[in-house]
Amino acid sequence: MEGSSSRFQLGVIGALSLSVASSVAIVICNKALISTLGFPFATTLTSWHLVVTFGTLYVAQRFRIFETKSVDMKTVMLFGLLNGVSIGLLNLSLGFNSVGFYQMTKLAIIPFTVLLETVFLKKQFSQKIKLSLLVLLVGVGIASVTDLKLNLLGSVLSLLAIGTTCVAQIMTNTIQKRLNVSSTQLLYQSAPFQASILLLLGPFVDQCLTKRSVFAYKYSPVVMVFIILSCLIAVSVNFSTFLVIGKTSPVTYQVLGHLKTCLILTFGYTLLHDPFTYRNVIGILIAIIGMGLYSHFCTRESKRRQNDDHHQLSPNSQTKNRETTPLLIAINLDNSDTGAEARKSGR
């Protein structure tokens, strides 16, 4: 029991580390590609990321590195299309809003996710966890949000982006745990649908945002090298995203995303000499405190639930709790999951 719990904790730490490292790496690569080399077609680039990801997973399953597992086609198709649309809407939101309002859109994903999970999945978040999330959001807001210019179209796009992103990430978690599929299996099944929708929408979205055509762009050898490098790093990013959400929760993934924001801001200041103020420093420190509190409270609640489960499974109470335990497992799709199926997902 303790051994499997330790392996699970190591798996979570590994998934989080891989997600942070790969995300920071791809930001560096894409910053060079978009800002330095003048390739601004972010949505189309994302579609290529997914094509390469699917190709890599296809080769991996042919070599039996992982086993495929069929999932209901309607579920996978809906999930894949929803993920693709959410990426397109987030890019459009950035294009039609100020950077500050776009950052507020990203911050709003956490409370909306908490609301949706509370209402529809009956998931319970303690007051301490809510407080830690509030501290985190305040810190990231201070560090990253600048101007807040509102417009009707941009606001509508932001609301749609928030809704689709929240639902897609919740589906990532629930599909893996309820259907007992790993992150690799789900990504392999859904990547073609995500890639297809973005291959269709990408050139149109990028045309709207940049007033340039991806088909008219002159691809130099240096640009091609960075595109290939970006696609290869994206395999790790996409895999780690599914792995983190499957092993933890959509809320934890969003918290991790804000950690990446703080790291990227710090990297930009120390190595790229981007403009940096005391406000950025204070915001990052507050955000780190919020992340630490969130991690601390989640760990405490995880241990308490594990102790409760161990007590419920004792010989004196095993018969009494035989029917209630599956209900607890079905309802509490949490980052510190207690079900055997959840521990299998993402491996």
Side-chain angles (χ1 to χ4, degrees), residues 12 14 28 47 49 60 97 119 145 168 185 189 228 240 303 314 327:
V12 171
I28 297 169
S47 69
H49 288 168
N97 289 303
V119 173
V145 175
Q185 291 167 335
Q189 294 281 350
I228 293 171
S240 63
K303 290 180 179 178
S314 63
L327 180 62

Side-chain angles (χ1 to χ4, degrees), residues 37 217-227:
L37 300 175
Y217 182 84
K218 295 182 179 179
Y219 295 84
S220 67
V222 176
V223 169
M224 290 301 300
V225 168
F226 271 87
I227 288 175

Side-chain angles (χ1 to χ4, degrees), residues 33 58 108-109 121 159 239 242 254 273 299 335 338 341 343:
L33 187 60
Y58 177 79
I109 291 174
L121 297 181
L159 287 173
F239 174 72
F242 278 64
Q254 285 300 322
H273 305 293
T299 301
N335 55 305
T338 57
E341 291 186 2
R343 278 194 282 271

Side-chain angles (χ1 to χ4, degrees), residues 68-77 79 170-183 185-186 189 246 329-330 333 340-342 344-346:
T68 59
K69 185 172 183 179
S70 60
V71 183
D72 176 61
M73 187 56 63
K74 289 183 179 179
T75 300
V76 172
M77 184 180 296
F79 170 71
I170 291 172
M171 285 183 68
T172 302
N173 182 269
T174 54
I175 288 174
Q176 289 188 55
K177 293 185 176 180
R178 289 183 175 172
L179 300 183
N180 194 24
V181 294
S182 70
S183 55
Q185 291 167 335
L186 180 58
Q189 294 281 350
I329 292 171
L333 300 175
E341 291 186 2
K344 292 178 183 176
S345 69

